[in-house]
Amino acid sequence: MEEIKLEEMYLNLGPQHPSTHGVLRVGLTLDGEVIVKADPDIGYLHRGMEKLAENRTYAQNIALSDRWDYLASMSNNFAFCLAVEKIMKVQIPERAEYIRVLVAELNRIASHLILFGTYGVDIGAVTPFMYALREREMILDLFESICGARMTYNYFRIGGVSNDLPEGFVKKLEEFTEWFKKRLSEYDDLLSNNVIFLDRTKNIGMLTKEDAIDYGVTGPNLRASGVQFDIRKNDTYSIYSKFDFEIPVGTQGDCWDRYYIRIKEMKESINIIEQILSKLPDGEICTKVPKILRPPVGEVYSRIEAPRGELGIYLISDGNTNPYRLKVRGPSFVNLEVLPELLKTWKIADVVAILGSLDIVLGEVDR
């Protein structure tokens, strides 16, 4: 009997915002429901950020950095300011260092909450999204009190931060930490250990330790594959060496591991925040630097552990008021490169589960 040969089908996933965490199109080649090939098509949100940076002063570029990964603007500010401070050899006041780490860890929680909420929606659970926004709203209220903004903060300054913590901030933050620690167990009951959620994420989209390293994957996606690498520990910056915290790692590198690493990281961020509150020093919040910055001629690479992985800044100065060249190493962009490998052999129903577990932000991918 002659074998029946089925034709492969080409299917567009996207571009649409709700199911792809930004404006992304993935071209899928299917054999029935099985994925043979996947081609991510990026650039729908491209704004030329790195070129724009060459035509703006160093201070103006802090506000520009807010728009890369718009869910982690504090981290973007942090990375850019560290690069400029490194090339200028600027010393940061101790209180400013504590405040920087404080808001960076709060932003990590806020970012991971979006993953918790939207990933539930990806799989078909709407309720976790409401929980996530409830807690995130409390963090945004805290951010609004220190910088006046709720998304693109422009809070960091070269040499420190723009404003000190307002009156009552510490008390509200302590109330939040106590509230939030109790919510983490609720998240497990609601979503993490839900039978349907486990069926859709456990043993799905496995990323091996070797492939993760070969593709340059960083952040929670790397640690989910069993690699205990975190820049806050392995190439420490600011004052992270003063704090005691764990680096959670996964075992299988599947969708569930990538999701749950972020749940564990929120707990560790709360741990860091509590340590900061217990020994927050008094003092200045910003070093005095020239109003018009002209860093010395040279080049520098600086990196931080952003919520999605290694956020690196390669900066070249020619001694003028604008960067000669600025290259952003966005973790979402690099992590997305592994998607074609992850999707192979899985079914069309698994695409959104696998894509969602990578937690990409297209504002950072396209820049």
Side-chain angles (χ1 to χ4, degrees), residues 5 46 55 57 82 106 129 131 134 153 268 282 286 339:
K5 294 183 179 179
H46 183 60
N55 298 287
T57 67
L82 279 179
L106 275 174
F129 189 61
Y131 281 62
R134 180 186 63 186
Y153 307 112
E268 293 304 319
D282 295 326
C286 196
L339 184 64

Side-chain angles (χ1 to χ4, degrees), residues 163-218:
N163 301 307
D164 205 343
L165 303 179
E167 185 179 349
F169 181 93
V170 171
K171 185 176 184 299
K172 289 180 181 178
L173 180 53
E174 289 172 340
E175 291 172 353
F176 169 76
T177 57
E178 288 304 312
W179 162 270
F180 188 70
K181 283 188 289 187
K182 298 173 184 176
R183 304 287 81 77
L184 289 171
S185 59
E186 285 186 2
Y187 297 168
D188 287 343
D189 294 338
L190 182 66
L191 187 64
S192 306
N193 299 319
N194 180 281
V195 175
I196 298 173
F197 184 75
L198 290 172
D199 285 345
R200 293 295 308 278
T201 57
K202 274 283 188 182
N203 303 313
I204 302 293
M206 274 85 75
L207 176 63
T208 67
K209 182 185 301 185
E210 293 74 22
D211 282 346
I213 293 171
D214 288 346
Y215 275 92
V217 172
T218 57

Side-chain angles (χ1 to χ4, degrees), residues 84-295:
V84 179
E85 290 156 2
K86 188 174 182 179
I87 200 170
M88 292 184 66
K89 296 180 172 56
V90 173
Q91 294 296 317
I92 312 301
E94 188 180 28
R95 181 174 176 82
E97 291 277 32
Y98 273 84
I99 293 174
R100 282 180 165 195
V101 173
L102 174 66
V103 296
E105 292 307 313
L106 275 174
N107 205 173
R108 191 182 311 279
I109 296 171
S111 176
H112 286 350
L113 281 171
I114 290 296
L115 179 278
F116 165 71
T118 58
Y119 198 45
V121 174
D122 288 343
I123 304 300
V126 177
T127 306
F129 189 61
M130 307 304 174
Y131 281 62
L133 289 188
R134 180 186 63 186
E135 272 73 77
R136 182 172 178 265
E137 193 71 13
M138 297 176 184
I139 296 176
L140 298 190
D141 287 343
L142 291 168
F143 283 164
E144 186 177 22
S145 71
I146 60 173
C147 67
R150 299 175 64 82
M151 188 168 184
T152 47
Y153 307 112
N154 192 25
Y155 178 57
F156 282 58
R157 293 293 181 269
I158 296 162
V161 293
S162 61
N163 301 307
D164 205 343
L165 303 179
E167 185 179 349
F169 181 93
V170 171
K171 185 176 184 299
K172 289 180 181 178
L173 180 53
E174 289 172 340
E175 291 172 353
F176 169 76
T177 57
E178 288 304 312
W179 162 270
F180 188 70
K181 283 188 289 187
K182 298 173 184 176
R183 304 287 81 77
L184 289 171
S185 59
E186 285 186 2
Y187 297 168
D188 287 343
D189 294 338
L190 182 66
L191 187 64
S192 306
N193 299 319
N194 180 281
V195 175
I196 298 173
F197 184 75
L198 290 172
D199 285 345
R200 293 295 308 278
T201 57
K202 274 283 188 182
N203 303 313
I204 302 293
M206 274 85 75
L207 176 63
T208 67
K209 182 185 301 185
E210 293 74 22
D211 282 346
I213 293 171
D214 288 346
Y215 275 92
V217 172
T218 57
N221 295 324
L222 175 65
R223 294 188 283 276
S225 296
V227 181
Q228 195 171 44
F229 179 83
D230 188 308
I231 297 172
R232 293 174 295 173
K233 287 272 193 182
N234 297 87
D235 187 15
T236 191
Y237 56 94
S238 187
I239 55 168
Y240 274 105
S241 59
K242 294 186 176 184
F243 306 116
D244 181 26
F245 59 99
E246 300 297 323
I247 305 300
V249 293
T251 54
Q252 296 194 102
D254 58 10
C255 289
W256 192 86
D257 273 348
R258 287 191 287 274
Y259 154 83
Y260 203 63
I261 286 295
R262 293 172 170 93
I263 300 295
K264 289 182 176 179
E265 285 191 0
M266 289 193 284
K267 181 179 179 181
E268 293 304 319
S269 291
I270 287 292
N271 180 23
I272 294 172
I273 290 169
E274 289 181 328
Q275 292 177 62
I276 291 172
L277 293 178
S278 68
K279 51 187 175 184
L280 183 65
D282 295 326
E284 297 294 322
I285 60 165
C286 196
T287 300
K288 290 184 179 180
V289 296
K291 289 185 178 181
I292 300 177
L293 297 176
R294 297 178 186 272

